Amino acid sequence: MKIKFGASLLSWITPLWTAEAGHYAIQKTAQTGFDLIEILLPNSMDFDAKTVKKQLIENNLAVACSLNLPKEAHIPFYPQEALALICKALDKTAALDAVFLGGVLHGGIGVFSGNPITSDEKQIIVDTWQQAALYAQKLGITIGIEPINRYESYVCNTAANVIELIEKTKMPNLAVHLDTFHMNIEERNFYDPVIASGKRLKHLHITESNRGMPGEGTVNWDELFKALKEIDFEGNLVLENFSSAVPGMQQAVSLWQTSPHNAQELAAGSLEFLKQNLNQ
């Protein structure tokens, strides 16, 4: 498996999935020269996989899926609800012939207990992940777990947090899904988490510290690309940067500042940045 260059659905549209917007995002991703689109599945699972699969084939585009657990599926509080939602997402992923489901699958975004994660909560997550991974295994799907920053979750903030829990599950189809925006807040650098993840790292969200054009913020890209080369990374490099020019995006992702680039400029420029850095 080689590196696939991808764009998130959010490169073009807000997180609120509609059939028309999804088709637009697929076409734009293909036209801009990407190999893959990451589709953030709606929590409602109101998603016509058969039609979307046809659109992907027409545009010669590979696909990975993602899911962000909502508050009502926070694993430490509602493990059965979380497992049911993850399994529904796995079914949609399989219906697209995709082999990867990533995202915030450790806890509901925006849910806090007021304390650090407890050992009991960790065990609930491990048990839930084991069951989800067994279900995914039957479908030939790898599940990637994305740590996010302290302002959005108390469960998994760093690569080390995710690796610790994955190791406890002993499931080979659980992987690490990193995001440079969150790494910039929580990790000491961009090198060590990638090295620690090693072959477990299957999916990486590429975005600048301000969610804009790579190279125009504070992310240490040299460290990141050095580490990716050292682990001989094979997986998906997916843009997850946002433009305020997309209607509704500012409200959807708290992008209160006006972006200097529109969606097309941001996607094309970011793809060029990735290819240049990987070829050096």
Side-chain angles (χ1 to χ4, degrees), residues 25-75:
I26 288 168
Q27 290 175 316
K28 291 296 290 183
T29 300
Q31 289 165 5
T32 308
F34 291 96
D35 308 310
L36 172 144
I37 186 168
E38 179 191 316
I39 294 179
L40 177 62
L41 294 170
N43 290 323
S44 66
M45 293 300 151
D46 182 13
F47 179 83
D48 181 1
K50 184 177 179 181
T51 298
V52 172
K53 181 180 172 181
K54 184 170 178 284
Q55 293 166 356
L56 291 165
I57 292 169
E58 288 170 352
N59 287 275
N60 193 29
L61 202 61
V63 63
C65 293
S66 59
L67 172 71
N68 294 332
L69 292 178
K71 294 179 180 181
E72 57 271 19
H74 182 61
I75 295 181

Side-chain angles (χ1 to χ4, degrees), residues 22-170:
H23 189 203
Y24 170 78
I26 288 168
Q27 290 175 316
K28 291 296 290 183
T29 300
Q31 289 165 5
T32 308
F34 291 96
D35 308 310
L36 172 144
I37 186 168
E38 179 191 316
I39 294 179
L40 177 62
L41 294 170
N43 290 323
S44 66
M45 293 300 151
D46 182 13
F47 179 83
D48 181 1
K50 184 177 179 181
T51 298
V52 172
K53 181 180 172 181
K54 184 170 178 284
Q55 293 166 356
L56 291 165
I57 292 169
E58 288 170 352
N59 287 275
N60 193 29
L61 202 61
V63 63
C65 293
S66 59
L67 172 71
N68 294 332
L69 292 178
K71 294 179 180 181
E72 57 271 19
H74 182 61
I75 295 181
F77 300 168
Y78 312 110
Q80 291 307 314
E81 289 83 352
L83 180 61
L85 185 59
I86 292 169
C87 288
K88 287 178 182 176
L90 288 166
D91 288 336
K92 293 293 185 183
T93 303
L96 291 177
D97 286 341
V99 295
F100 182 86
L101 174 71
V104 183
L105 300 172
H106 46 82
I109 295 179
V111 179
F112 296 93
S113 67
N115 292 296
I117 188 171
T118 66
S119 57
D120 286 345
E121 287 180 318
K122 287 182 180 180
Q123 191 57 52
I124 292 169
I125 292 166
V126 167
D127 292 343
T128 304
W129 284 3
Q130 281 178 327
Q131 294 175 75
L134 284 168
Y135 189 78
Q137 217 169 33
K138 296 173 185 174
L139 301 171
I141 294 170
T142 296
I143 298 175
I145 312 294
E146 179 185 8
I148 58 174
N149 71 76
R150 69 190 70 186
Y151 306 109
E152 298 182 63
S153 177
Y154 70 100
V155 180
C156 288
N157 303 134
T158 67
N161 295 157
V162 171
I163 292 166
E164 176 197 353
L165 298 183
I166 285 178
E167 287 179 345
K168 288 181 178 180
T169 69
K170 296 183 168 55

